[in-house]
Amino acid sequence: MPLPDPAPQALARGTRPAAGDARRRARGASAGAVALLLAAALAWPLAAAAEAPAQPERSEHHHGGDVYLAGGAPTLTQPVQGDLFIAGGSIDVEAPVAGDVFAAGGRLRVDGSVGQSLHALGGQVEVRGRVGANLRMAGGQLELAPGAEVAGNVSALGGRLALRGPVRGHVQVGSGRVWIDGPVGGDVTVNAGELALGPNARIAGALRYRAGEELQRDPAAEVGGAIERLPALPRRDPGPGREDGDWRAGDDATRHRGMAVGFGAAWTAGLMLLAGLLVAVLPGVTGGISRTLRARPGASIGLGFALVVCVPVAVLLLLLTIVGIPVALLALATYLAALPLAYVLAALGLGDWALQRWRPQQLARRGWRWGAACAVLLALALAGWLPFVGALAGFVVLLLGLGAIALHALRPATAA
């Protein structure tokens, strides 16, 4: 269910080319053959997976005490003795989990208790059960319900956050709108556009906040430590016609940077979700491509570069012919779809390499593979803000993924 508006009383989107001669037709036919071969190479792993029995809408796997659950609307109804890894469009965790929970989806609701930490990523996240350690969540709408409890710390990043349940530790928040209406045992640090304390807010430690508006505090709210408003982050000269003290006037570049950060976070979250789905649904295919990438990194980069150059050229040549236009569109669609897939598969391969080097005993566990891939994707996202270096790193990773897919596809034919 969507979060209600937090405390309204407190918080006041040309010309057709000629048919040509026999030479041009021959070039078009050759380009068509090249495009078909490249498209087949990129699509081969998925086609191989299609030969296996059809996967149900809900995929569930058990490894020791850990559970891996994915699907359109997965629901956990049985207790889990280990960790839970769950991904889907609409997620419900109704049963208790003894270990950690790693969840990513469009809508996420946790009613069962979590013995350790909860890591949640989604458009809407609602926590109703007890969390035995720390709560880390990111998304559009985030809520800790009144009946919930967090024994450790809370870290949250989102558009709108409501903390109504007790938190025994510290709270660190970055959000557009924050509403605290429950007890907090430690300090609270907030970076937000709007911050409000409800009548049930009981903060034992200090409150430090940076916000565009003044703190909205109910008379019944209590703060045991000091209340400090942090200085606004420095920004450039607002330019002619703008008041330097008006935070709403802002700076176009600042707003654009904020939009870029939001889009980048959403894109990275989507890639992480895709990595989790690939590991859960196609473990054999992803494992084979990962092994190819680790065994032949140089060849993967070289072939990936050839694909990046040759596929667009082949598509352009096909577009010069009439009969080749449908093939060109098909090759272009396959190519564009393969780019993010290759990027994620390369991240999985690099994560597997790290596990093989430092945690080889965990390489067979899908949850560890997903976690390592997410760490690689996060590192690449952060590196993307570095001039030149970030773009180069992302491009090399993309080449690795494309080349590894093609090498994995061509391996059976070569062996034959």
Side-chain angles (χ1 to χ4, degrees), residues 233-245:
L233 294 175
R235 56 186 177 91
R236 301 184 308 175
D237 181 16
R242 292 177 177 169
E243 298 180 9
D244 186 55

Side-chain angles (χ1 to χ4, degrees), residues 109-205:
R109 187 175 68 184
V110 180
D111 290 310
S113 62
V114 179
Q116 297 299 321
S117 296
L118 170 60
H119 310 264
L121 173 66
Q124 179 180 329
V125 179
E126 185 179 5
V127 181
R128 296 182 174 183
R130 185 183 187 276
V131 178
N134 300 321
L135 170 61
R136 299 182 176 92
M137 54 183 176
Q141 297 186 49
L142 311 172
E143 180 181 14
L144 181 67
E149 179 185 358
V150 178
N153 303 323
V154 171
S155 302
L157 176 65
R160 196 166 165 183
L161 171 69
L163 294 179
R164 296 187 171 93
V167 178
R168 305 304 178 193
H170 304 295
V171 172
Q172 291 183 319
V173 174
S175 180
R177 176 180 289 181
V178 178
W179 169 246
I180 300 177
D181 194 28
V184 178
D187 297 334
V188 175
T189 304
V190 176
N191 284 275
E194 300 174 357
L195 170 62
L197 303 181
N200 300 311
R202 302 289 185 271
I203 299 176

Side-chain angles (χ1 to χ4, degrees), residues 41-86:
L42 293 174
W44 177 272
L46 295 182
E51 296 177 359
Q55 295 288 340
E57 182 181 358
R58 169 189 166 110
S59 176
E60 182 173 348
H61 303 277
H62 297 259
H63 187 85
D66 300 338
V67 175
Y68 307 86
L69 188 59
T75 301
L76 181 73
T77 57
Q78 298 296 325
V80 176
Q81 300 303 317
D83 299 335
L84 171 65
F85 301 84
I86 186 168

Side-chain angles (χ1 to χ4, degrees), residues 104 121-122 263-275:
L121 173 66
F263 177 79
W267 177 255
T268 302
L271 294 178
M272 291 179 177
L273 178 59
L274 177 59

Side-chain angles (χ1 to χ4, degrees), residues 200-280:
N200 300 311
R202 302 289 185 271
I203 299 176
L207 171 62
R208 302 179 182 89
Y209 72 99
R210 178 182 290 112
E213 296 280 5
E214 291 290 338
L215 171 67
Q216 303 295 318
R217 179 179 177 182
D218 189 277
E222 298 179 2
V223 179
I227 299 178
E228 178 186 2
R229 183 173 185 178
L230 302 175
L233 294 175
R235 56 186 177 91
R236 301 184 308 175
D237 181 16
R242 292 177 177 169
E243 298 180 9
D244 186 55
D246 187 0
W247 72 276
R248 292 183 182 84
D251 173 295
D252 287 341
T254 302
R255 287 197 295 270
H256 293 162
R257 284 195 297 270
M259 293 175 63
V261 171
F263 177 79
W267 177 255
T268 302
L271 294 178
M272 291 179 177
L273 178 59
L274 177 59
L277 292 175
L278 289 174
V279 170

Side-chain angles (χ1 to χ4, degrees), residues 15-21 24-25 320-322:
T15 304
R16 177 188 299 176
D21 54 12
R24 173 169 292 184
R25 286 194 295 269
L320 296 178
T321 68
I322 297 177

